[in-house]
């Protein structure tokens, strides 16, 4: 059973289940692209249209890794605004340019969809160069679409998280429940506001009301965050941190292009008229201080409030 992530044929064992694109039950990135700064592939692969998956080949793996390590210095975290990774893959497949290197499912299973040598288009960032320097993970979570009165993405008739025996549970439609690798898995947020369940904070100007990721997702994400720097040393084991508030900020940061480490999509993209859209992921519920502490970084201020 594979537990390794892969860049240019090099592997690092992260100690959690990783389903590779080449495995049965794996997902192939629907729209890989070549990175402009890497030279071990045919440059026609940098642009549209998407070619057959087998056409995305690089020549010298050692040289490809050296070039990739020079180019990539950010791991960008996203919520996928989907019910599950299977659902996320269907949504990305329907696009002619989108993709993500990793999907992180509700039960903590990590999918890698292509070698990290390739670019995937998930976060242009405010300078439109974000995907060139990044590796992406789409974490299964409905994001701010999880409440009935705010949902626009999917036809639903009730709030998608329901209180059952004192515990908030995500109601997964049958077609997605049956697709989780862990059969019978019950998706429960790792933390919940005592009364209302969801978290509510402002991100890049929008009040984002969302439920937390699952405990299993945090454990796998932390393993990924610790492991990826061994493959790509430019991705430092750190997240943005404001020494004044002693917290990780939620809004776009000033040095979003030069930062070496692990960032949220919202940290690199506040959007502008005629430019990229404003982004809010991984959102108000994501537990930045837990990731920061797991990486050995500033413990920061104690989490006063659960929301
Ligand atoms: Zn995103």
């Amino acid at each position: 059973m594979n537990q390794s992530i892969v860049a240019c044929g090099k592997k690092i064992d992260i100690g959690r289940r990783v389903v590779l694109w080449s495995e049965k039950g794996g997902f192939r990135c629907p729209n890989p692209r070549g990175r402009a700064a890497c030279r071990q592939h045919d440059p026609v692969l940098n642009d549209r249209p998407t070619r057959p998956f087998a056409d995305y080949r690089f020549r010298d793996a050692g040289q490809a890794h050296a070039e990739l390590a020079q180019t990539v210095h950010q791991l960008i975290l996203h919520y996928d605004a989907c019910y599950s990774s299977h659902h996320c893959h269907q949504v990305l497949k329907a696009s002619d340019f989108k993709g993500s290197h990793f999907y992180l499912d509700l039960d903590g299973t990590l999918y890698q969809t292509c070698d990290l040598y390739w670019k995937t288009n998930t976060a242009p960032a405010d300078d439109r160069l974000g995907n060139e320097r990044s590796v992406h993970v789409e974490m299964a979570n409905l994001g701010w679409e999880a409440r009935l009165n705010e949902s626009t993405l999917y036809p639903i008739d009730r709030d998608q998280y329901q209180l059952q025996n004192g515990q908030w549970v995500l109601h997964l439609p049958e077609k997605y429940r049956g697709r989780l690798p862990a059969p019978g898995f019950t998706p429960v947020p790792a933390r919940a506001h005592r009364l209302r369940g969801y978290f509510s904070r402002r991100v890049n100007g929008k009040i984002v009301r969302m439920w937390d990721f699952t405990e299993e997702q945090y454990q796998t994400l932390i393993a990924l965050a610790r492991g990826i720097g061994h493959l790509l040393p430019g991705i430092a084991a750190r997240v943005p941190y404001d020494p004044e508030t002693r917290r990780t900020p939620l809004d776009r940061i000033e040095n979003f292009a030069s930062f070496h480490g692990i960032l949220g999509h919202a940290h690199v993209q506040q959007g502008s008229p005629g430019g990229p859209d404003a982004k809010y992921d991984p959102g108000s519920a994501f537990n930045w201080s837990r990731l920061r502490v797991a990486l050995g970084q500033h413990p920061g201020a104690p989490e006063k409030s659960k929301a």
Side-chain angles (χ1 to χ4, degrees):
M1 194 171 78
N2 181 67
Q3 296 196 334
S4 294
I5 57 173
V6 185
C8 307
K10 281 187 199 291
K11 292 189 168 192
I12 290 289
D13 187 330
I14 63 166
R16 300 283 292 182
R17 179 68 172 117
V18 183
V19 182
L20 296 177
W21 66 92
S22 51
E23 286 183 61
K24 187 169 181 290
F27 297 117
R28 283 177 168 183
C29 180
N31 301 294
R33 293 288 189 270
R35 297 180 194 270
C38 292
R39 302 280 181 227
Q40 298 304 310
H41 62 275
D42 186 334
V44 301
L45 300 175
N46 296 2
D47 304 315
R48 290 175 200 246
T50 303
R51 291 172 168 75
F53 191 82
D55 287 6
Y56 291 83
R57 283 189 302 252
F58 46 83
R59 290 182 282 271
D60 182 294
Q63 187 59 32
H65 183 263
E67 292 173 10
L68 184 66
Q70 283 297 311
T71 304
V72 168
H73 56 88
Q74 298 182 344
L75 170 65
I76 309 286
L77 313 184
H78 306 261
Y79 56 59
D80 62 7
C82 289
Y83 282 108
S84 68
S85 291
H86 173 81
H87 184 199
C88 173
H89 185 63
Q90 305 310 314
V91 170
L92 295 181
K93 259 199 330 195
S95 155
D96 62 2
F97 70 99
K98 286 183 184 170
S100 172
H101 302 94
F102 297 107
Y103 307 150
L104 177 48
D105 218 339
L106 295 167
D107 64 359
T109 302
L110 186 68
Y111 293 90
Q112 184 173 345
T113 69
C114 62
D115 194 288
L116 302 186
Y117 178 78
W118 304 107
K119 178 173 81 170
T120 65
N121 286 314
T122 310
D126 283 337
D127 65 355
R128 300 178 188 268
L129 296 172
N131 293 311
E132 296 287 341
R133 57 180 175 254
S134 303
V135 163
H136 299 285
V137 55
E138 287 279 4
M139 303 185 284
N141 184 295
L142 289 162
W144 58 269
E145 298 274 350
R147 295 175 72 225
L148 175 61
N149 64 1
E150 294 191 337
S151 178
T152 56
L153 278 179
Y154 313 112
I156 57 169
D157 55 13
R158 60 176 191 169
D159 278 341
Q160 291 163 84
Y161 283 76
Q162 302 282 327
L163 199 55
Q164 292 177 8
N165 304 320
Q167 193 175 45
W168 290 96
V169 174
L170 169 61
H171 176 76
L172 268 181
E174 192 58 50
K175 63 177 172 175
Y176 300 118
R177 206 180 311 158
R179 301 280 192 163
L180 288 178
F185 179 80
T186 300
V188 172
R191 298 171 303 158
H193 185 277
R194 191 166 47 87
L195 295 175
R196 61 165 196 252
Y198 60 85
F199 288 68
S200 178
R201 290 176 74 187
R202 188 179 293 274
V203 183
N204 282 335
K206 177 183 171 65
I207 298 289
V208 177
R209 301 182 184 93
M210 66 176 281
W211 273 260
D212 201 1
F213 297 85
T214 68
E215 174 60 28
E216 290 78 5
Q217 286 178 307
Y218 280 110
Q219 290 183 14
T220 299
L221 179 69
I222 286 166
L224 173 65
R226 285 175 171 157
I228 198 154
H230 296 285
L231 269 184
L232 298 170
I235 304 177
R238 66 188 182 109
V239 303
Y241 178 72
D242 180 343
E244 277 182 23
T245 62
R246 296 166 68 210
R247 286 179 181 274
T248 292
L250 298 184
D251 297 340
R252 213 283 308 276
I253 60 170
E254 279 299 311
N255 60 336
F256 70 93
S258 60
F259 186 87
H260 281 53
I262 299 161
L263 296 150
H265 194 175
H267 288 136
V268 302
Q269 198 169 322
Q270 72 183 2
S272 60
D277 294 337
K279 289 293 175 176
Y280 317 107
D281 49 328
S284 54
F286 184 75
N287 192 343
W288 283 105
S289 69
R290 177 172 180 182
L291 177 59
R292 214 167 59 222
V293 170
L295 295 173
Q297 211 183 340
H298 315 274
E303 290 276 313
K304 282 197 298 287
S305 138
K306 294 221 162 194

